[in-house]
Amino acid sequence: CCNTIREKVNDTKRHGQGMENTKDMKKDVLITIKGTQKIGNEKDVIEMVTTGRFYRKNQMYYISYEETEATGYEGCRTTLKVGPKDKVTMTRFGTSRSQLIVENGIRHQCQYDTGYGAMTIGVMGNHFDSDLSDRGGNLSFGYTLDIEATVASENTVTITLKEILAQ
């Protein structure tokens, strides 16, 4: 699916993941997502609040939620695998299937389904920050997308997770 092309870039600050223990964990969470896409001088911001699942398996965190009409991917489920280290793997299942690997300082070539067909794009991670723990937390990452080595967009994603407590 994705090929890795290692490129040297400046390392940015990041926080380690706060694994509470080695036992797997799963819980319902309130997910707040803010995505920013910049193409040339135009900037588009999408904000979404939804519920989903947050779990830890094999020492990595996963965030899973249903997409909505607001994102343009209604009918799809997106799962983010956080880790190891400065890496987020976004996998979309459903009517539009895609996988993007965002790894700080490394360029990956990934398949991306536009809804009109699949294409190969370059994904270069340029920012990663996480304070996720078993109680939730924040995840922020940035990346550029390129098509045939020409930058198509600059993107940032910020995700906040809050545990939904039983009443």
Side-chain angles (χ1 to χ4, degrees):
C1 172
C2 291
N3 299 314
T4 303
I5 300 169
R6 298 213 174 254
E7 295 181 3
K8 185 176 171 130
V9 298
N10 293 334
D11 194 16
T12 59
K13 180 183 172 191
R14 74 170 183 353
H15 297 284
Q17 295 177 347
M19 298 290 168
E20 309 292 314
N21 57 47
T22 57
K23 187 177 176 189
D24 289 347
M25 171 276 303
K26 184 183 287 187
K27 59 182 64 173
D28 294 323
V29 290
L30 183 66
I31 304 170
T32 303
I33 302 170
K34 180 180 179 181
T36 304
Q37 182 179 58
K38 185 178 174 193
I39 301 173
N41 292 327
E42 294 187 29
K43 191 175 185 179
D44 190 25
V45 178
I46 293 177
E47 294 189 46
M48 180 174 96
V49 178
T50 188
T51 56
R53 299 289 273 173
F54 177 52
Y55 54 101
R56 181 173 29 80
K57 184 177 177 184
N58 299 325
Q59 296 297 308
M60 285 190 257
Y61 285 116
Y62 294 80
I63 303 163
S64 184
Y65 61 92
E66 296 291 330
E67 294 281 357
T68 67
E69 187 178 331
T71 64
Y73 293 102
E74 188 175 22
C76 293
R77 171 169 283 283
T78 297
T79 299
L80 288 87
K81 177 174 130 183
V82 182
K85 298 188 181 182
D86 301 355
K87 183 176 179 180
V88 176
T89 304
M90 294 187 293
T91 306
R92 184 172 291 130
F93 303 94
T95 53
S96 294
R97 299 179 58 93
S98 300
Q99 183 179 57
L100 297 182
I101 299 174
V102 179
E103 188 170 6
N104 198 32
I106 297 175
R107 183 176 180 269
H108 292 272
Q109 290 184 319
C110 301
Q111 288 292 316
Y112 187 76
D113 188 339
T114 64
Y116 300 100
M119 58 192 279
T120 301
I121 58 174
V123 181
M124 178 67 180
N126 55 32
H127 163 79
F128 180 92
D129 191 34
S130 173
D131 68 1
L132 292 177
S133 72
D134 285 1
R135 292 183 282 296
N138 300 290
L139 170 67
S140 175
F141 56 95
Y143 58 98
T144 57
L145 296 180
D146 67 76
I147 301 169
E148 296 182 6
T150 300
V151 173
S153 66
E154 298 174 25
N155 306 272
T156 58
V157 177
T158 303
I159 299 172
T160 302
L161 304 175
K162 293 183 181 176
E163 186 175 359
I164 298 173
L165 300 174
Q167 298 293 328

